[in-house]
């Protein structure tokens, strides 16, 4: 590997929007699956994250983690097709078929285990219960300490994600991904990756706020045509959340693929 820079003709954001359009069939399938999962979760809700006395509920936390993992499944084809599109030029469903089912399954299982499972588990188990307690006015020193420790742990996990996130790009391009090679890419491009991934993380709440008025208009249209308000809100919120999630996954995939191309 070498640290020679490779010039890119488009901005990452422009690349992401282009790939979203080129893979619109996969994105639409992801949205449909997310809406179906949301419908099933509303029909069969699990245990609450907090007990009646406000204490964290372990079964509820586990259920929350499992739910987020299930919600992440429709995003795997989006990430895989984005990697293939950037590195090999295949787009859409052709990208999913380009390297066979076994390769796709290895990619999906590794990405879930290495990124989504760690981050979602950390978020659910460390932050959510204490944040809910604080929002209810039950602030104490132990909750503040746990939040502080959780913030440090989140930073360390984010740094680990930056260091190891090029695994997918290396697997797609080289057919194998040795730990040392993946770590070398992360070290050489750490600042490049850290700044851009942090920008994506900070951009997502802004994007969510921007689409809220549109969501309200779409819900109003569905209610006007005869769909009850609660199902209409569930469908629209799930679809828009999935759309934002797909866009974030595509941007992250573009960033990691570009990092790999810079050093290969």
């Amino acid at each position: 590997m070498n640290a020679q820079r490779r010039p890119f003709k488009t901005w990452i954001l422009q690349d992401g929007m282009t790939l979203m359009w080129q893979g619109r069939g996969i994105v639409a399938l992801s949205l449909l699956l997310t809406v179906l999962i949301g419908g099933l979760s509303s029909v069969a809700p699990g245990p609450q994250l907090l007990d009646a006395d406000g204490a964290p509920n372990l079964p509820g936390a586990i259920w929350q983690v499992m739910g987020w993992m299930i919600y992440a499944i429709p995003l795997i084809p989006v990430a895989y097709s984005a990697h293939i599109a950037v590195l090999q030029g295949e787009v859409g469903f052709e990208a999913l078929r380009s390297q066979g089912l076994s390769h796709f399954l290895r990619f999906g299982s590794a990405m879930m285990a290495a990124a989504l499972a760690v981050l979602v588990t950390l978020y659910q188990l460390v932050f959510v219960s204490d944040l809910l307690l604080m929002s209810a006015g039950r602030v104490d020193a132990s909750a503040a300490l746990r939040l502080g420790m959780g913030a440090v742990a989140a930073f360390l996990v984010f740094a680990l994600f930056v260091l190891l996130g090029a695994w997918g790009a290396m697997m797609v391009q080289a057919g194998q991904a040795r730990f040392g090679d993946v770590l070398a890419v992360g070290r050489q491009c750490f600042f490049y990756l850290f700044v851009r991934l942090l920008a994506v993380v900070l951009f997502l709440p802004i994007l969510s706020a921007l689409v809220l008025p549109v969501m309200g208009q779409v819900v109003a249209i569905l209610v006007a045509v005869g769909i009850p308000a609660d199902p209409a809100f569930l469908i629209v919120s799930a679809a828009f959340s999935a759309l934002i999630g797909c866009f974030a996954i595509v941007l992250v995939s573009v960033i990691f693929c570009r990092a790999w191309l810079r050093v290969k």
Side-chain angles (χ1 to χ4, degrees):
M1 295 182 183
N2 60 73
Q4 182 179 2
R5 294 176 180 270
R6 171 177 292 200
F8 298 101
K9 296 180 179 179
T10 60
W11 293 90
I12 291 173
L13 187 61
Q14 182 180 348
D15 241 6
M17 295 173 67
T18 300
L19 292 181
M20 285 284 287
W21 174 250
Q22 291 176 339
R24 55 192 178 276
I26 298 175
V27 172
L29 179 62
S30 177
L31 299 185
L32 177 60
L33 291 175
T34 302
V35 171
L36 292 176
I37 293 171
L40 291 175
S41 63
S42 66
V43 172
Q48 297 297 315
L49 187 60
L50 297 180
D51 291 330
D53 59 354
N57 182 5
L58 181 58
I62 295 174
W63 181 266
Q64 289 287 328
V65 172
M66 292 176 58
W68 278 92
M69 294 296 290
I70 293 173
Y71 271 109
I73 292 174
L75 297 177
I76 294 175
V78 178
Y80 184 75
S81 61
H83 277 74
I84 296 291
V86 174
L87 298 173
Q88 299 185 357
E90 298 284 348
V91 297
F93 290 101
E94 289 297 324
L96 296 182
R97 295 191 291 264
S98 63
Q99 296 191 352
L101 179 61
S102 61
H103 193 279
F104 169 74
L105 293 177
R106 286 200 307 271
F107 178 94
S109 60
M111 295 301 284
M112 286 280 287
L116 295 174
V118 174
L119 293 175
V120 171
T121 301
L122 184 67
Y123 174 75
Q124 293 294 323
L125 297 182
V126 176
F127 287 107
V128 172
S129 59
D130 286 323
L131 288 174
L132 289 175
L133 287 172
M134 292 181 70
S135 66
R138 301 175 182 178
V139 183
D140 55 29
S142 62
L145 178 61
R146 286 193 300 270
L147 282 171
M149 295 176 61
V152 174
F155 177 81
L156 295 177
V157 170
F158 184 73
L160 183 63
F161 178 70
V162 170
L163 288 172
L164 301 180
W167 181 95
M170 188 176 296
M171 187 68 188
V172 166
Q173 189 75 345
Q176 59 181 352
R178 292 187 293 269
F179 179 81
D181 293 338
V182 176
L183 192 61
V185 175
R187 287 202 308 266
Q188 292 185 53
C189 297
F190 184 84
F191 183 74
Y192 175 91
L193 290 168
F194 187 89
V195 171
R196 285 156 180 79
L197 291 173
L198 185 61
V200 171
V201 172
L202 296 178
F203 173 68
L204 291 181
I206 299 174
L207 182 60
S208 300
L210 292 176
V211 302
L212 281 177
V214 181
M215 288 178 54
Q217 293 296 322
V218 175
V219 170
I221 293 173
L222 293 179
V223 172
V225 299
I227 298 178
D230 288 343
F233 177 78
L234 175 66
I235 293 171
V236 172
S237 61
F240 274 85
S241 297
L243 185 61
I244 294 173
C246 288
F247 189 49
I249 288 294
V250 169
L251 290 178
V252 171
S253 299
V254 171
I255 292 170
F256 278 121
C257 288
R258 288 190 175 202
W260 161 249
L261 291 173
R262 284 163 61 93
V263 301
K264 79 181 273 280

